[in-house]
Every structure is written in structure tokens, then in C-alpha cells.
Amino acid sequence: MMMASRSLQLFILFVCSLTIITIECSEVEKQNPNLYNITKTVVHSAVSKGAVCLDGSPPAYYFDPGFGDGVDNWIVQISGGAWCVNVTDCIGRTKTQLGSSKYMDKLEFQGIHSKNKSANPDFYNWNKVILAYCDGGSFVGDVEYVDSATNLHFRGKRIFYAILEELLEKGLKNAKNALLAGGSAGGYPAVLYCDNFRDSLPSAARVKCLNDCGYFPHFKNPELEKNWHVRFSGVAELQGAAQSLPKSCTSKMKPELCLYSQNIQQDIKTPLFIFMSAYDNVETKYTFGDYMGGLIDGGKCSASQNQSLIEMRSEFLNALPKGDNPNLRGVFVDSVHHHNSLLRRWIPETAINVNGQLHTKVFADWYFDRKYTYLIDETNELPLTNNARLIWQVDNTTGRVIYTA
């Protein structure tokens, strides 16, 4: 009787184990390779180095390990999220994920971070890292003093190096291929720290950098520049840019001017690629105001507004690196009124096309030294409507992502 009872218990345990395994496998199968969530990794050790978010909380990053023959390849992406330009603005950020790791939730990985080999053949199995942005100043601050009245910390530079140190120990120091990328407000530090990133990987076969939708030009026309001047002057003062930015730039011009990628890129020795729309929708918003976006997308700009847009485009193109050495300075400039090419645009359905060339293929070829490209859309003098303002949905039956404009 005892033997029968024991056998029954073992049978029930076996069935339960199979059930658990089936459920776990089912959950894995449901994970969509094009769009998946990653939990933050908080760098508690950074606090002792003074590398903290605006509110004094430890910084964080998001990490998805590589697999297969991608285990020694790394994408390190620096997040964007505009800037805080005064104390009130920065205090407001401390109650959000843009100023405190306390409010950081899971992050959706997509685009160049997709694990779908057919959609992302060159990078699908790489180690993927996204640095959370919580310093309000494009990772440039290194201010020791903390005002007790505000408790604001401007330590973005320390955050970058503290996270880099942890990633090196995690395996980045053994990388065979590595890319430092940044989007929007994260595009500038991808340029600023490009050579330092390269120098931390002496054995890497290939190390390059990418500024995606963060190459905002310094306009000569004061009407176009006025809003940017207020913005970058505020960032430079709060973040102590005069002390933290390269002397090769600050010795020649005001610190706020050194926050423009165009004024530091010539000193970067590492190969750099630039993705940017000549009519980036953040560029148009901060240059002209919120109202301009609706006019552009609705095709309702007046003749004088169109002329201002054309002038903006012209000044932007003049701010780009020269095209005589595309292996060191690759460029892909489109005319679509959009922002960001690495994430939602990094799929065949919505990739940017200029002269029959997709930006995803152009960049991959440039990165892997298959073909060096310096490409500017010269066909469209005025902005093209953004036709891929996507709403992401997941088909519960197939697990596929559905794109709705």
C-alpha cells in the first residue's frame, strides 16, 4: 500500500513538473523578438563615486545579453529625453524616470535591439545595453557642489563612466565588435565620449560610434538660433560645462557652443556615423515652436514658413562633416518629419528610403566596412510627412507585432 502511495506521489510530482515546464516554455514562446521588456540594472556602487541621478539616486541601465556568435559583440546606446534648462525644470524631473532611478520601470527593446534575425540580421544577437538618462544634461555634468535647498546633482559625466566600468567587467572589455550609439539628447554624448569608449577597448577589432537624431546645428541666423541659445546656455551653466567639456573646444568658444556636435566632431578620431532628418521634428519644434509640427504634417505651411524651413535645412547641411572621407564620417540625411532612426524605424516596414537605399542597410554596410556611404536627400527641398507614427500591437495568436499608422 505504501509503495502504491509513493508511486502515486511521484507520478503527481512528475505531472506537475511537466506542467511548469510547459508553462515556462509557453511564456518564452510568447516573447516577441521585435518588442520585449527589460528590467533595469541599478548601479549601487556608483553612489560612492558621486555618480548619481538628479535626485541623488543611483544610475541604472538596461541589459539584454547576446547569444550565439554575437556574445562578443556589443551595442551600448545612450538614451535621450531633452534637457532641463533651469532649476525648476530639473526639480520637476526628479519626480520622473528622467531624474531618478526610483521611477524607472521596465524598458521596451525594439528596432536595432530586435532579436529577429530576418528583420535585424546584423545586430540581432549582440549584447544590447541602454543607458538610462537621469541627469538632465546629456551626460556632461561633473559638478561637485550640491545646493541643500534643491538637492540637485549634476553628475552625468560620472554616470557614463561608472556604467562603462561595470559593463567592461560584464564582458564589454572582450568585445570583438562594439558600437556606442545615442539618440536625441543622447546623440551628443555618443560623439563626446566616442574616443574614450574606443580607448577602453584596445583589443576590439571594430569600434565605431553613431549619433542618431542628435546632431542639432548651431544656426547663424539669430531667429532660428534664439530658442536653442536659451536651452543650451541653461544646460551649460547648470552642468558646469566650462569645466567638464573638452578644452579643445571650450578654449575656442563659449561652453554652450561646445554642446553642439558640429563643434567637437572634428576632434574625434574614431569612425562616426550620423543619422538625421533635415527636418527632424524635435529640431522644428525647438526652433519654431510646437505649432510648426501640425502645419508641416498637414501640409499647411505658408510660403514664408516654407522659406524658413529651407533655410533651416541649409544651415543644418552646412554643419555636417565634409563628405570626403565617409569611412570616418558616414552620413544618412533624409527629409521625413520624424525623430529617431534606431528604434521604431529599424524594421523593414518603416525603414527610411533615400534614393532607393534603406538607412538600416546603409549603416550596417558602413559599420562592417562593406560600403562607406555619405548620403543626403537632395530631391526633397521641403519636409515629407511622417507616415509611420506607429501604434504597436501584438497579435495574441501569432505573437507578431502589428503596425498601425
Side-chain angles (χ1 to χ4, degrees):
M1 185 62 124
M2 288 182 63
M3 286 291 293
S5 176
R6 178 65 175 165
S7 298
L8 181 60
Q9 289 176 349
L10 289 173
F11 177 74
I12 292 172
L13 180 61
F14 175 70
V15 171
C16 289
S17 298
L18 284 178
T19 302
I20 291 171
I21 291 170
T22 302
I23 291 172
E24 287 181 347
C25 290
S26 177
E27 289 302 314
V28 170
E29 289 172 1
K30 282 181 181 179
Q31 186 189 65
N32 193 289
N34 292 315
L35 185 68
Y36 55 97
N37 290 324
I38 296 296
T39 302
K40 68 184 177 184
T41 298
V42 179
V43 189
H44 294 286
S45 61
V47 176
S48 63
K49 302 168 185 161
V52 293
C53 299
L54 282 169
D55 70 334
S57 61
Y61 63 92
Y62 297 85
F63 173 60
D64 186 44
F67 56 94
D69 60 7
V71 293
D72 292 323
N73 300 330
W74 290 72
I75 299 173
V76 178
Q77 182 178 347
I78 305 173
S79 292
W83 310 266
C84 57
V85 300
N86 55 54
V87 169
T88 301
D89 194 7
C90 292
I91 290 174
R93 283 195 170 220
T94 63
K95 304 301 180 185
T96 74
Q97 78 277 9
L98 290 174
S100 173
S101 60
K102 298 174 186 176
Y103 299 96
M104 293 176 188
D105 204 346
K106 291 181 179 180
L107 187 67
E108 285 185 345
F109 272 40
Q110 57 182 290
I112 199 170
H113 304 294
S114 167
K115 298 179 186 179
N116 185 339
K117 185 176 181 179
S118 62
N120 187 29
D122 290 291
F123 305 101
Y124 74 100
N125 61 354
W126 285 32
N127 294 281
K128 306 170 183 76
V129 180
I130 298 182
L131 275 61
Y133 180 36
C134 66
D135 66 285
S138 286
F139 291 84
V140 305
D142 190 14
V143 179
E144 184 66 32
Y145 174 73
V146 177
D147 187 342
S148 59
T150 64
N151 194 42
L152 288 172
H153 299 70
F154 301 106
R155 307 279 180 79
K157 184 175 184 178
R158 298 189 197 185
I159 289 175
F160 175 81
Y161 283 111
I163 296 179
L164 177 60
E165 182 180 338
E166 180 158 311
L167 294 176
L168 289 168
E169 290 305 309
K170 223 170 183 124
L172 176 59
K173 63 184 177 183
N174 301 316
K176 293 179 181 177
N177 294 289
L179 171 67
L180 179 65
S184 196
Y188 173 80
V191 180
L192 177 66
Y193 299 124
C194 184
D195 282 348
N196 300 90
F197 182 75
R198 179 209 61 198
D199 292 342
S200 70
L201 304 169
S203 63
R206 185 183 286 109
V207 181
K208 300 187 180 184
C209 301
L210 169 64
N211 182 334
D212 174 31
C213 66
Y215 201 91
F216 304 111
H218 175 237
F219 296 114
K220 295 178 181 179
N221 182 333
E223 278 301 305
L224 297 177
E225 179 62 21
K226 62 183 180 182
N227 292 333
W228 289 99
H229 173 74
V230 171
R231 192 169 299 277
F232 280 177
S233 294
V235 172
E237 183 178 356
L238 288 170
Q239 303 288 342
Q243 286 71 45
S244 67
L245 294 182
K247 297 302 178 189
S248 58
C249 184
T250 57
S251 63
K252 296 183 291 188
M253 59 187 72
K254 294 179 180 180
E256 57 265 30
L257 297 182
C258 295
L259 290 171
Y260 293 92
S261 294
Q262 72 186 79
N263 291 330
I264 63 168
Q265 65 82 19
Q266 70 275 5
D267 297 320
I268 303 302
K269 299 179 179 62
T270 307
L272 170 69
F273 198 95
I274 298 166
F275 276 137
M276 193 81 178
S277 169
Y279 294 110
D280 180 274
N281 63 21
V282 169
E283 183 75 61
T284 57
K285 173 183 176 180
Y286 287 160
T287 303
F288 300 106
D290 291 339
Y291 71 92
M292 185 59 89
L295 294 178
I296 292 173
D297 290 336
K300 298 179 180 179
C301 293
S302 66
S304 62
Q305 287 168 334
N306 280 334
Q307 191 55 47
S308 294
L309 286 168
I310 291 171
E311 183 178 356
M312 183 191 81
R313 176 182 182 275
S314 176
E315 289 217 36
F316 162 69
L317 295 181
N318 288 334
L320 288 170
K322 290 183 172 61
D324 54 357
N325 200 358
N327 62 317
L328 286 178
R329 294 293 182 270
V331 162
F332 188 100
V333 173
D334 64 275
S335 300
V336 179
H337 190 231
H338 75 110
H339 187 64
N340 192 297
S341 298
L342 282 184
L343 300 178
R344 294 187 175 184
R345 287 283 184 179
W346 202 269
I347 49 176
E349 291 88 344
T350 58
I352 299 292
N353 186 324
V354 173
N355 298 342
Q357 300 190 62
L358 299 182
H359 79 286
T360 51
K361 181 71 162 56
V362 166
F363 175 73
D365 285 347
W366 177 87
Y367 180 85
F368 287 104
D369 302 302
R370 297 188 292 242
K371 181 183 178 182
Y372 303 120
T373 298
Y374 187 101
L375 179 61
I376 296 173
D377 179 9
E378 302 284 5
T379 303
N380 298 287
E381 192 177 42
L382 288 170
L384 300 174
T385 299
N386 181 6
N387 60 357
R389 294 189 170 182
L390 303 178
I391 299 171
W392 293 79
Q393 295 178 320
V394 177
D395 186 312
N396 292 326
T397 303
T398 64
R400 295 186 61 187
V401 174
I402 302 169
Y403 312 99
T404 306

